[in-house]
């Protein structure tokens, strides 16, 4: 699953928080961001992992680039416990839930150029609102 980070189609939807999105289809999206609930990534942690994440915040391309050549960064990127990851598919949500998720971001159904754009925002909002559903360390 972490190999998705190296997919050439990956996008960073929030560079400051190192949140990544991979479009699997027009109806399904995979998300990934640091697991701030892991004790190594808590603000008062002295863990090297937290230092590394802090170094790369705002520079996701550099994180992925360094993960190819720097062993310490490669280990960070490949440690599933340090990431919230998972995919959402539009069939996971009722029409009412989709509208609610859009409304939470201040969007209306017809604010998008395509269904895929709208679906991506719905899935992203669900991911952000339900981080415990995407933990790999519990």
């Amino acid at each position: 699953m972490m190999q998705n980070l190296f997919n050439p189609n990956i996008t960073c939807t929030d560079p400051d928080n190192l949140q990544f999105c991979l479009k699997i289809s027009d109806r399904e999206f995979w998300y990934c961001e640091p697991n701030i609930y892991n004790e190594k990534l808590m603000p008062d942690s002295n863990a090297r992992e937290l230092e590394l994440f802090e170094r790369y915040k705002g520079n996701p391309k550099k994180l992925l680039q360094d993960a190819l050549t720097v062993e310490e960064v490669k280990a960070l990127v490949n440690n599933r416990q340090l990431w919230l990851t998972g995919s959402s598919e539009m069939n996971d949500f009722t029409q009412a839930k989709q509208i609610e998720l859009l409304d939470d971001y201040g969007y209306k159904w017809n604010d998008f150029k395509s269904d895929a754009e709208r679906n991506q925002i719905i899935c992203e909002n669900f991911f952000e609102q339900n981080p415990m559903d995407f933990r790999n360390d519990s």
Side-chain angles (χ1 to χ4, degrees):
M1 214 184 235
M2 298 314 291
Q3 70 270 14
N4 284 348
L5 281 173
F6 298 101
N7 185 306
N9 297 316
I10 194 93
T11 59
C12 188
T13 53
D14 185 348
D16 291 333
N17 291 309
L18 298 174
Q19 181 187 79
F20 296 91
C21 174
L22 179 63
K23 178 181 173 183
I24 297 169
S25 73
D26 284 353
R27 300 186 53 79
E28 184 177 5
F29 300 84
W30 178 83
Y31 279 91
C32 178
E33 70 182 24
N35 179 2
I36 60 170
Y37 306 99
N38 184 288
E39 80 179 34
K40 289 182 178 181
L41 300 182
M42 295 280 186
D44 60 347
S45 170
N46 291 323
R48 179 69 176 141
E49 291 86 351
L50 178 60
E51 283 181 44
L52 288 170
F53 273 122
E54 291 297 324
R55 177 190 307 164
Y56 290 104
K57 279 186 175 181
N59 201 349
K61 287 182 182 178
K62 180 77 169 141
L63 170 71
L64 298 179
Q65 187 177 43
D66 286 355
L68 296 173
T69 59
V70 179
E71 286 304 315
E72 184 178 39
V73 179
K74 183 180 198 174
L76 179 81
V77 168
N78 285 310
N79 185 341
R80 288 180 37 88
Q81 293 184 341
L82 299 177
W83 296 88
L84 302 173
T85 61
S87 63
S88 295
E89 205 273 328
M90 293 311 295
N91 291 339
D92 296 342
F93 313 113
T94 64
Q95 179 77 21
K97 183 64 174 176
Q98 292 175 28
I99 291 169
E100 176 187 324
L101 288 165
L102 285 173
D103 188 56
D104 288 345
Y105 267 24
Y107 290 111
K108 300 291 182 223
W109 191 263
N110 292 323
D111 287 349
F112 300 89
K113 295 177 190 168
S114 69
D115 289 346
E117 248 182 56
R118 179 179 45 251
N119 295 344
Q120 189 261 320
I121 291 296
I122 291 168
C123 290
E124 182 173 333
N125 194 8
F126 181 78
F127 177 78
E128 291 177 354
Q129 287 187 18
N130 300 281
M132 298 305 168
D133 291 354
F134 298 97
R135 287 183 74 172
N136 298 303
D137 67 340
S138 52

